[in-house]
């Protein structure tokens, strides 16, 4: 059931200047594919009013509204077991989540029923007032399973030749156009599945021509599949414009408009259009991070666009866990119309100690609400550990985030940032503060139990220019150590990661880890898991591994054992009766956490003042 929160979310993007707002997948049927609670559906008349409310709100905000329809996920539906339905597919394919389970091929009568369901759904979408319909044909979902030779081994009229494999989608397009006359129909397709044996351009080029002959009005081009999930939600490792070639290839062989997507920044989007790489630019997560992209560009304020850092933490990550949509850098996502930075009724003097992500976001929100804000940072730069951690080129959007905060704070007259200024428990600056927000971050862990630990270079120092030899052993395979290993391996160092656990980057979102693991392998990084560092020597690292003791020669050893909260200041302040009720801790000094959690916490604390 469409909700007011959904309407507020889509409306904010339309109000921000987005020309066409397309929903997420909306199920047309539950006959053969289970629909998990909370997912959008239009398989009954009772869902029309909620969808109409969204369409009306988007129109009132000046945007156009399209509903993306799906016939189901087929072999990729993760809810089959929990919701008690067997997986279905074009052929007897393995269920993605358990290869020992075999999907049942849809019968011809069932295919025809699904086609009818698309037509019924299209009629409801038109009744709801939508301006267009999008068909979800990518990611290896059910329609994709029919189109692709790797999953379609049928011998009837829906299998075999390209024409037969596209019969299902041609019938779907016809049903939609018949039941929703006048509505343009777009189709999203994966040009390259990005796994061995998956569909490539050699096959896709004939499929897109079939789509054009079937009367499709727009093709949205990307890459990926569940077997290469990182291309479906590309993390920062894949860089800018990571799927633009998909659009360029399609545009060269069809006459209908083609849209490009995939880590496209506004600046790059303009370049793609200018060179004829696409007719339209599709932005998803970027518009989650900043719904006002288009209006800011129109006003010549490109620098004020809040960058998407491509972390997938609270957007895609939440969706995979069945949680409401959120955003690491935009805490107002999911709270559109509720979290509004109005002027506080009782402006206060706010002191913020630490200019990392939590401190900077708290300063921005408190300043926007009219409080008198003073930020004190011990280092000579803002950003905290985010700044050195963002040195790799693949993390450039993180660097942009620091620049964004810098510019935002500069425009707030009530905010002053003092660098190279350390606040102590007895600092006079705390005396007149109504609220003290402590965001002092963390300290690196240096296990005293490891002989020679003092010989290691701390990973943050490695980011900031500490000299490194040719052969580098990184002790610790958490996200910090793994990203650093990738960074220096791409610079030409011979790198080994030593991790005590059975896997590296264990707390990383699974989709991002697909990219990380592949990138490390391509860069030649040696990864030793289940291996404990026992000593750091003049010649390298001694460790105990699954096969016994091992000595790793290295010119430089880097310590990336993790961090512990820097709680000294907050503990000293909360122990004082005269300030304890005015002190609040946030960010890593409470507990080491991901950047998105720190930003959201900083926002929420400042918003509550």
């Amino acid at each position: 059931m469409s909700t007011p929160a959904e309407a507020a979310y889509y409306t904010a993007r339309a109000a921000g200047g987005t020309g066409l707002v397309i929903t997420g997948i909306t199920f047309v049927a539950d006959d053969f594919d289970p629909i998990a609670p909370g997912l959008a559906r239009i398989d009954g008349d009772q869902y029309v009013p909620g969808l109409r409310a969204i369409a009306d709100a988007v129109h009132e905000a000046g945007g156009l509204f399209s509903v993306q329809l799906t016939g189901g996920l087929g072999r990729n539906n993760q809810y089959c077991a929990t919701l008690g339905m067997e997986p279905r597919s074009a052929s007897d394919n393995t269920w993605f989540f358990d290869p020992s389970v075999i999907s049942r091929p849809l019968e011809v009568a069932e295919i025809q029923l699904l086609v009818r369901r698309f037509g019924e759904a299209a009629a409801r979408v038109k009744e709801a007032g939508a301006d267009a319909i999008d068909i979800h044909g990518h990611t290896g979902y059910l329609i994709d399973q029919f189109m692709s030779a790797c999953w379609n081994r049928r011998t009837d009229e829906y299998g075999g030749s390209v024409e037969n494999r596209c019969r299902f989608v041609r019938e779907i397009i016809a049903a939609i156009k018949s039941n929703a006359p006048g509505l343009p129909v777009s189709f999203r397709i994966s040009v390259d599945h990005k796994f061995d044996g998956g569909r490539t351009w050699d096959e896709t080029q004939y499929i897109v021509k079939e789509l054009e002959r079937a009367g499709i009005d727009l093709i949205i081009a990307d890459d990926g599949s569940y077997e290469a999930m990182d291309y479906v939600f590309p993390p920062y490792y894949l860089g800018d414009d990571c799927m633009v070639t998909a659009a360029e290839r399609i545009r060269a062989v069809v006459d209908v408009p083609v849209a490009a997507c995939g880590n496209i920044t506004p600046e790059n989007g303009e370049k793609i259009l200018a060179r004829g790489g696409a007719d339209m630019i599709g932005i998803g997560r970027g518009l989650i991070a900043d719904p006002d992209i288009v209006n800011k560009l129109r006003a010549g304020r490109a620098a004020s666009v809040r960058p998407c850092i491509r972390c997938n933490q609270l957007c895609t990550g939440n969706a995979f866990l069945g949680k409401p949509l959120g955003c690491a850098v935009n805490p107002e996502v999911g709270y559109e119309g509720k979290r509004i930075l109005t002027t506080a009724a009782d402006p206060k003097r706010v002191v913020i100690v630490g200019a990392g992500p939590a401190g900077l976001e708290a300063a921005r929100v408190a300043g926007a609400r009219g409080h008198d804000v003073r930020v004190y940072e011990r280092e000579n730069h803002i950003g905290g550990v985010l700044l050195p951690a963002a040195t790799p080129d693949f993390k450039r959007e993180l660097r942009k985030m620091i620049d964004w905060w810098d510019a935002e704070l500069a425009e707030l007259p009530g905010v002053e940032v003092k660098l190279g200024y350390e606040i102590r428990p007895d600092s006079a600056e705390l005396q007149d503060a109504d609220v003290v927000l402590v965001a002092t971050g963390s300290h690196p862990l240096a296990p005293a139990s490891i002989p020679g630990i003092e010989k290691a270079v701390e990973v943050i120092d490695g980011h900031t220019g500490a000299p490194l030899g040719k052969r580098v052993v990184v002790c610790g395979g958490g996200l910090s150590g793994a990203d650093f290993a990738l960074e220096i391996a791409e610079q030409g160092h011979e790198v080994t990661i030593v991790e005590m656990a059975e896997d590296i980057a264990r707390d990383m979102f699974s989709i991002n880890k697909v990219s990380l693991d592949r990138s490390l392998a391509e860069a030649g990084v040696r990864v030793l898991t289940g291996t404990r560092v026992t000593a750091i020597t003049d010649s390298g690292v001694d460790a105990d591994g699954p096969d016994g003791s091992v000595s790793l020669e290295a010119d430089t050893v880097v310590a990336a054992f993790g961090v512990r909260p820097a709680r000294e200041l907050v503990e000293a302040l909360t122990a004082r009766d005269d300030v304890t009720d005015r002190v609040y801790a946030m960010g890593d000094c409470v507990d080491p956490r991901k950047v998105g959690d720190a930003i959201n916490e900083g926002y929420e604390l400042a918003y509550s003042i």
Side-chain angles (χ1 to χ4, degrees):
M1 188 75 71
S2 300
T3 65
E6 285 182 272
Y9 171 82
Y10 289 123
T11 301
R13 275 75 203 160
T18 302
L20 176 65
V21 176
I22 305 177
T23 69
I25 57 171
T26 304
F27 284 76
V28 305
D30 65 354
D31 300 278
F32 314 114
D33 217 326
I35 305 176
L39 294 180
R41 57 196 301 173
I42 191 65
D43 57 325
D45 294 341
Q46 67 270 33
Y47 302 113
V48 173
L51 197 60
R52 183 186 296 117
I54 298 178
D56 290 346
V58 168
H59 291 153
E60 187 175 349
L64 297 175
F65 182 60
S66 177
V67 178
Q68 184 182 77
L69 300 181
T70 180
L73 285 63
R75 65 180 292 268
N76 291 347
N77 197 318
Q78 68 193 85
Y79 300 105
C80 286
T82 55
L83 296 181
M85 295 181 73
E86 64 178 336
R88 315 291 179 94
S89 186
S91 298
D92 55 347
N93 297 300
T94 56
W95 185 37
F96 180 81
F97 298 95
D98 182 355
S100 69
V101 176
I102 303 300
S103 305
R104 182 173 72 76
L106 285 171
E107 298 174 3
V108 170
E110 294 172 330
I111 296 170
Q112 293 170 349
L113 175 60
L114 273 178
V115 170
R116 189 165 75 247
R117 295 286 188 250
F118 267 97
E120 295 165 353
R124 296 186 186 105
V125 169
K126 183 175 177 63
E127 181 186 351
D131 303 288
I133 291 174
D134 182 54
I135 301 173
H136 189 294
H138 72 143
T139 318
Y141 282 7
L142 184 62
I143 291 174
D144 204 357
Q145 290 160 36
F146 271 85
M147 295 191 304
S148 307
C150 61
W151 294 308
N152 187 337
R153 295 175 298 281
R154 302 177 72 99
T155 57
D156 59 14
E157 64 267 39
Y158 290 97
S161 66
V162 172
E163 292 79 7
N164 280 358
R165 283 187 275 114
C166 290
R167 186 182 303 277
F168 182 33
V169 71
R170 287 201 312 271
E171 292 176 349
I172 289 171
I173 294 169
I176 291 173
K177 286 184 170 285
S178 174
N179 285 273
L183 291 193
V185 180
S186 60
F187 190 94
R188 185 157 183 172
I189 187 170
S190 299
V191 169
D192 191 321
H193 283 148
K194 296 292 184 180
F195 73 93
D196 290 341
R199 196 178 68 232
T200 66
W201 173 243
D202 289 343
E203 183 181 358
T204 301
Q205 61 181 314
Y206 300 107
I207 293 174
V208 295
K209 293 176 183 177
E210 286 292 316
L211 294 174
E212 184 176 32
R213 281 191 286 269
I216 209 72
D217 299 293
L218 167 70
I219 297 175
I220 304 173
D222 64 16
D223 289 323
S225 58
Y226 268 41
E227 284 77 4
M229 184 65 84
D230 54 328
Y231 276 90
V232 182
F233 306 102
Y236 48 74
Y237 300 107
L238 294 183
D240 291 348
D241 312 337
C242 57
M243 296 183 286
V244 169
T245 55
E248 293 172 337
R249 284 173 161 176
I250 293 177
R251 198 168 187 269
V253 300
V254 301
D255 293 324
V256 296
V258 178
C261 59
N263 284 0
I264 299 177
T265 63
E267 299 85 356
N268 288 355
E270 294 286 354
K271 295 175 184 177
I272 293 166
L273 295 176
R275 70 171 185 261
D279 302 286
M280 297 172 61
I281 299 299
I283 295 179
R285 291 168 302 163
L287 281 167
I288 298 175
D290 194 332
D292 299 314
I293 288 176
V294 177
N295 284 346
K296 288 179 178 180
L297 295 179
R298 283 175 176 157
R301 298 174 54 233
S304 69
V305 173
R306 184 195 283 110
C308 167
I309 61 175
R310 304 167 185 172
C311 65
N312 282 330
Q313 180 189 346
L314 300 177
C315 52
T316 306
N318 278 10
F320 267 66
L321 295 174
K323 296 180 179 179
L325 183 71
C327 180
V329 299
N330 182 1
E332 292 172 2
V333 170
Y335 297 92
E336 288 82 4
K338 296 179 180 179
R339 288 182 174 175
I340 302 173
L341 300 184
T342 56
T343 302
D346 181 22
K348 294 180 171 58
R349 294 175 60 86
V350 179
V351 167
I352 298 175
V353 185
L360 291 171
E361 182 65 3
R364 183 187 74 85
V365 173
R369 299 201 65 220
H371 296 296
D372 181 48
V373 182
R374 297 292 178 269
V375 182
Y376 297 95
E377 169 55 52
R378 183 176 60 183
E379 302 296 333
N380 291 315
H381 60 78
I382 66 169
V385 296
L386 196 64
L387 183 65
T391 54
D393 187 58
F394 53 78
K395 285 189 172 180
R396 55 186 171 274
E397 297 304 310
L398 271 178
R399 295 198 297 274
K400 289 182 182 179
M401 192 67 203
I402 297 171
D403 294 338
W404 181 81
W405 272 312
D406 194 22
E408 290 290 305
L409 296 182
E411 292 185 2
L412 295 170
V415 177
E416 182 179 357
V417 180
K418 295 190 176 183
L419 301 177
Y421 202 111
E422 184 172 5
I423 293 293
R424 303 180 184 278
D426 58 352
S427 292
E429 290 80 4
L430 302 176
Q431 301 307 313
D432 297 328
D434 298 307
V435 178
V436 179
L437 302 180
V438 181
T440 45
S442 59
H443 300 303
L445 284 174
S449 59
I450 299 177
I453 186 66
E454 71 281 355
K455 302 177 188 292
V457 173
E458 170 54 40
V459 66
I460 291 297
D461 295 329
H463 280 299
T464 55
L468 303 174
K470 178 68 173 177
R471 299 169 301 172
V472 179
V473 172
V474 178
C475 300
L479 181 56
S480 176
D483 274 353
F484 178 73
L486 177 59
E487 176 187 8
I488 62 173
E490 291 179 342
Q491 296 170 356
H493 294 273
E494 298 173 7
V495 187
T496 299
I497 297 174
V498 179
E499 169 57 44
M500 183 169 58
E502 295 306 311
D503 199 4
I504 62 170
R506 288 176 299 159
D507 61 343
M508 188 180 199
F509 182 44
S510 59
I511 290 175
N512 295 19
K513 193 172 182 304
V514 171
S515 268
L516 172 63
D517 289 342
R518 184 177 59 244
S519 298
L520 289 170
E522 291 174 348
V525 176
R526 182 186 182 192
V527 178
L528 301 179
T529 55
T531 302
R532 182 174 60 87
V533 174
T534 57
I536 297 173
T537 68
D538 290 335
S539 59
V541 171
D542 290 340
D544 285 336
D547 299 321
S549 299
V550 61
S551 293
L552 305 170
E553 294 187 356
D555 303 309
T556 306
V557 177
V558 173
F561 291 106
V563 295
R564 59 181 176 83
R567 293 191 53 82
E568 295 84 358
L569 178 63
V570 71
E571 288 176 351
L573 292 179
T574 53
R576 288 170 45 185
D577 293 337
D578 59 330
V579 296
T580 184
D581 61 340
R582 296 182 280 135
V583 176
Y584 303 88
M586 58 187 182
D588 282 358
C589 75
V590 178
D591 190 40
R593 60 199 61 196
K594 295 182 175 66
V595 61
D597 296 323
I599 292 172
N600 277 260
E601 186 175 22
Y603 181 103
E604 291 167 10
L605 265 177
Y607 188 78
S608 69
I609 298 173

